[in-house]
Amino acid sequence: SEQATKTTAPSVSYRAVDSATGKPVSLSDLRGRPALLSSWATWCAPCRKELPALERLHQAQGPDGLQVVIVNLDEPGASSGAVQKMVDELGLTMTKWNDPDGAFTTTFRGVAIPMSVLIDASGRVVEKWHGPLDPDDPAVRRRIDQVLAEAPRD
């Protein structure tokens, strides 16, 4: 069929829940613009250091088309109060998802948290970083800029 010839590389299927609306979301909701998904949890000390850097990246490159999405991996039964408290304390305005099925780490073949996954505009995983991401690292910047440059413009 014609559909099959258009697919360049397999895109990953991942489902989560939007923290703000409680509605199910998936990677297809992000398609059309590159996205950086990063896992975090309230009990993760490196995450506490990384989240403000991701927020700065969101502020700096959101206007360029980068979607920064943080995915909370706290147990579903965990106090949502603790999650919200950390979000408020750190002033996080980027998109927030929850991972009720605990599928983030297995879907993206992670080994620990935090872990960040760069996804291009067509939904393909193009880069993975294990451990806290430093968005100011020139290599990280180059990779993000590259994916933004390849994204279709409206």
Side-chain angles (χ1 to χ4, degrees), residues 88-99:
D88 293 343
E89 267 175 25
L90 299 175
L92 307 177
T93 64
M94 57 205 144
T95 301
K96 292 168 277 300
W97 288 1
N98 294 331
D99 184 50

Side-chain angles (χ1 to χ4, degrees), residues 95-108:
T95 301
K96 292 168 277 300
W97 288 1
N98 294 331
D99 184 50
D101 302 331
F104 185 92
T105 307
T106 48
T107 300
F108 298 109

Side-chain angles (χ1 to χ4, degrees), residues 42 72 74-86:
T42 53
N72 180 266
D74 280 83
E75 292 291 318
S79 155
S80 60
V83 172
Q84 192 57 51
K85 181 172 180 264
M86 195 156 152

